[in-house]
Amino acid sequence: VCIAGSFRSLTFLPVVIGNTLIGIFQEIRARNTLEKMNILNASTTTVIRDGKEMDVDSEHLVLDDIVIFHGGEQIPADAVVVKGEVSVNESLLTGESDELTKTPGMHLLSGSFIVSGECYARLEKVGEESYISKLTLEAKKMGSGEQSEMIRDINKLVKWVGILIILVGIILFVQGFVFNKEGFSQSIVSMVAAVIGMIPEGLYLLTTVALAVSTIRLAKQKVLLHDMKSIETLARVDVLCVDKTGTITENKMTVNELIYSEEIPESESGKLETILSDFAANMTADNITMEAIKERFTDVSGRTAVSKTSFSSKVKYCSVTYSDEVFVLGAPEMVLRDDYQYYEDSIGEYTGKGYRVLAFGKYEGQADGSPLTEKVVPYGFITLSNAVREKAPDTFKYFEKQGVTVKVISGDNPATVSEVARQAMITGAENYVDATSLSTDEDIARAVKEYTVFGRVTPKQKQKIVKALQAQGHTVAMTGDGVNDILAMKDADCSVAMASGSEAAAQASQVVLLESDFSCMPSVVLEGRRVVNNIQRSASLFLVKNIFSFLLSILSAVFMITYPLEPSQISLISGFTIGIPAFFLAMEPNKSRIKGKFIINVFLRALPAGLTDVIAVWAIVLCGQVFGLSSGDVATAATMLLAMIGFMVLFKISEPLNKFRVLVLVGNLVALLVCGIFLNDIFALKGMSARCFLLFVMFSFASESMFRWLSLLVKKLKRFKFIRRMVE
């Protein structure tokens, strides 16, 4: 345009500069907000320096640091165990879900996480030299990661438009300069007008600003997003998988009662509290259950264990071995095994009330963390409970109204989980299943259709449940707070972690609730819906211009007619009927549930207006040739016609009207009229002749009828099966 000397046609430059500056400002603002939130949620590691224990940011660890790892923590650097014993899950690195026992001399890989236990370890490789860092760098080489459907569709749109404008630009310039004998300057200006019309120049700004503003809004609610796509994914979720502890209930357990077993030896009966206290004192408080037991049983005798095994979600027990005897504590059905049937009814009375029941007894074999094989003499049963979160019932009622199915997945007894789910007002809470009875993938696929509550679920089964739901066409969100949830969270479409839970879960998730308050989830979903619905609605405005400019360019090339509009006129229409109103409308609340494919929805909304624009402008161009109207008259009439159709589209997508939408409509209409009257030279607008004005009035009325008819036609087309499938 500068080479052609048509500086008036540079009216699109302020839009480009404005897009750039606003986009940069919002990106920086969002980034700064996220950095502050990340500091609040930064992972820390316990290090021994100068003989003292201290917590330091994981990124500040150095070679040969002696660190202490506890259950639930993710290993930030490669290390070797020097003291203690831990169970480690390396599934995020190797894909294998089996828990591995690490003893002194064995290596710990960064990126894996401690399931249970406690150990001292010396760091061997830190920073870029660590195993997880090398994997991360390799992953970055392979690609930037999966993007959300909306961003993916916008990228595809811009890519194809980018290819088309090169071809269309060359064709239009050659046609104008060579065949129509237009001057160099006029051919350039006409070509640029067509190309600018095909570029959705404000769409990226709109998307960037909307996502950045959402990030900031959620940050104010103490919700941290690890990636932007989670906003859209959460808005599309139709199945929400939740863990019991920390999500439905408070992340704290309380011991309610100690029930003595009839089989406890008389000599031990009066010592049970002390035996349990010694057991707890020898164990590490690496989960909330053991914390509650340690808090309740404090009458210790000082007896020291020879060895111990921490609680494992695989075998569901923990043990303490003394020089002369072994005690175990865990899930009754896993500890008592064949003898469980004798206690099932009495245990069921407590699980039916929502209590968690643990069996404690003396083991006649050697406990080494593998499944128990010898007899356990039950000494007693401990009942524990979590209080249901106060706002949980309202939260789950909201999801039910929004058509989101809730599945409760827990490692606890299914009857206990069912009762807790009932107290939280989860629909279908009475439909529960013991996951130990689900042995195949087919069993799990059937179960996810029939049951709401899953108990005694292993970490691997949680992952399979999520995959089974996805295979059935659902968009799945998984919430959790423990290391046993990570496999499922990793494979879910969107993962949500409680900050009060394990560090590994928080690092593996896409969304972190920093105040560990699940009741803020509805506002997160609503924020996602606002963003996607508003961008979808506003994107249809941009696509109207794309459809019109592309089709008009094709008609101009085929019929050897110079493109009738100038760049400044396209900028005027784009600014006040698309860019500015789309920007404001995208900031509005919008609670509607998201349906269908983004690009299909946008295209079908834009098609009637795009076709109306092409037909109306092409008709006025042809009439201009028949009646001998000047190109200036035709361009002015076409510009005003496009503006009028643009406001018709704006009015339609703004329904139902409210004060804010009316203000946006009226404000843009007044601004366009002011520019058209007082800045007419800048936008190449001239006074129309009487004949041209009459054509403009006639086509204005015709355009209104045509737009309405085409809108009805597209609505009817949606009823056809193949189109309905695409939309849905």
Side-chain angles (χ1 to χ4, degrees), residues 172 175 548 551-565 610-626 634 638 641-642 645 699 703:
L172 288 179
Q175 175 230 320
F548 157 73
L551 293 178
L552 189 62
S553 299
I554 298 299
L555 288 171
S556 299
V558 170
F559 291 96
M560 292 294 174
I561 294 175
T562 302
Y563 194 84
L565 296 164
L611 292 175
T612 303
D613 280 345
V614 173
I615 294 168
V617 170
W618 189 246
I620 211 165
V621 167
L622 293 179
C623 288
Q625 288 192 333
V626 171
V634 171
L641 199 57
L642 287 173
I645 297 169
F699 285 124
S703 296

Side-chain angles (χ1 to χ4, degrees), residues 431-713:
N431 299 322
Y432 64 86
V433 63
D434 189 326
T436 56
S437 65
L438 307 176
S439 55
T440 66
D441 291 348
E442 289 73 21
D443 291 339
I444 291 174
R446 283 194 298 271
V448 295
K449 289 181 180 179
E450 296 176 26
Y451 299 103
T452 299
V453 173
F454 297 78
R456 296 290 179 228
V457 184
T458 65
K460 189 65 178 176
Q461 283 180 317
K462 288 188 179 186
Q463 183 185 33
K464 288 183 175 181
I465 289 170
V466 168
K467 286 185 174 180
L469 288 165
Q470 290 171 326
Q472 292 170 14
H474 297 291
T475 302
V476 183
M478 176 74 197
T479 70
D481 65 347
V483 291
N484 60 327
D485 300 316
I486 290 181
L487 287 174
M489 291 169 73
K490 183 168 68 78
D491 282 349
D493 296 291
C494 185
S495 52
V496 183
M498 307 292 170
S500 62
S502 74
E503 181 184 302
Q507 293 301 319
S509 66
Q510 294 163 321
V511 180
V512 183
L513 308 182
L514 292 180
E515 292 190 339
S516 301
D517 185 2
F518 185 69
S519 65
C520 70
M521 279 292 291
S523 63
V524 178
V525 173
L526 288 178
E527 189 61 38
R529 290 183 178 182
R530 185 191 68 77
V531 170
V532 179
N533 282 323
N534 286 339
I535 291 177
Q536 189 167 269
R537 179 176 61 185
S538 299
S540 62
L541 290 176
F542 290 97
L543 208 60
V544 167
K545 188 183 68 164
N546 299 151
I547 293 170
F548 157 73
S549 295
F550 176 69
L551 293 178
L552 189 62
S553 299
I554 298 299
L555 288 171
S556 299
V558 170
F559 291 96
M560 292 294 174
I561 294 175
T562 302
Y563 194 84
L565 296 164
E566 291 193 22
S568 57
Q569 293 167 338
I570 294 289
S571 297
L572 178 69
I573 298 159
S574 298
F576 295 113
T577 67
I578 298 173
I580 296 173
F583 183 85
F584 284 107
L585 291 175
M587 298 300 121
E588 264 204 304
N590 194 326
K591 299 179 181 179
S592 304
R593 188 178 173 189
I594 300 169
K595 295 179 181 178
K597 300 291 184 182
F598 179 84
I599 196 67
I600 299 295
N601 289 341
V602 169
F603 180 76
L604 290 178
R605 280 185 178 185
L607 190 59
L611 292 175
T612 303
D613 280 345
V614 173
I615 294 168
V617 170
W618 189 246
I620 211 165
V621 167
L622 293 179
C623 288
Q625 288 192 333
V626 171
F627 293 110
L629 300 177
S630 68
S631 59
D633 271 8
V634 171
T636 300
T639 303
M640 299 310 294
L641 199 57
L642 287 173
M644 191 205 70
I645 297 169
F647 278 104
M648 283 165 42
V649 177
L650 255 182
F651 180 82
K652 185 172 180 63
I653 72 164
S654 296
E655 292 180 321
L657 292 174
N658 55 32
K659 289 181 180 179
F660 177 76
R661 294 176 186 177
V662 169
L663 183 63
V664 171
L665 279 168
V666 173
N668 280 280
L669 179 60
V670 170
L672 186 139
L673 291 173
V674 168
C675 289
I677 295 169
F678 297 105
L679 303 174
N680 56 312
D681 286 340
I682 294 176
F683 295 105
L685 298 176
K686 300 178 180 178
M688 290 182 284
S689 63
R691 188 177 294 178
C692 185
F693 183 75
L694 286 173
L695 284 172
F696 165 71
V697 173
M698 181 179 72
F699 285 124
S700 295
F701 283 108
S703 296
E704 192 277 333
S705 300
M706 187 177 301
F707 175 64
R708 195 158 16 96
W709 182 80
L710 286 171
S711 297
L712 288 171
L713 180 63

Side-chain angles (χ1 to χ4, degrees), residues 415-435:
T416 302
V417 183
S418 173
E419 175 58 22
V420 171
R422 188 194 64 77
Q423 293 173 19
M425 307 293 286
I426 295 175
T427 302
E430 68 281 358
N431 299 322
Y432 64 86
V433 63
D434 189 326

Side-chain angles (χ1 to χ4, degrees), residues 236-298:
R236 293 180 180 275
V237 161
D238 61 351
V239 175
L240 177 64
C241 296
V242 299
D243 188 28
K244 176 181 77 71
T245 307
T247 303
I248 301 176
T249 63
E250 299 288 349
N251 197 33
K252 182 176 173 60
M253 268 195 158
T254 304
V255 173
N256 295 94
E257 190 177 353
L258 172 60
I259 305 160
Y260 284 71
S261 167
E262 293 178 0
E263 293 188 49
I264 185 172
E266 286 187 23
S267 58
E268 306 278 24
S269 179
K271 303 176 185 176
L272 184 56
E273 292 258 351
T274 303
I275 294 171
L276 267 167
S277 298
D278 287 338
F279 183 96
N282 281 286
M283 294 299 295
T284 305
D286 53 8
N287 57 64
I288 61 171
T289 303
M290 190 52 66
E291 285 178 7
I293 291 172
K294 277 177 167 287
E295 187 177 321
R296 165 66 175 78
F297 299 104
T298 56

Side-chain angles (χ1 to χ4, degrees), residues 314-315 317 337 363 368-374:
K314 184 179 179 182
V315 295
Y317 79 85
R337 302 182 315 286
Y363 184 49
D368 56 3
S370 56
L372 300 175
T373 55
E374 304 300 324

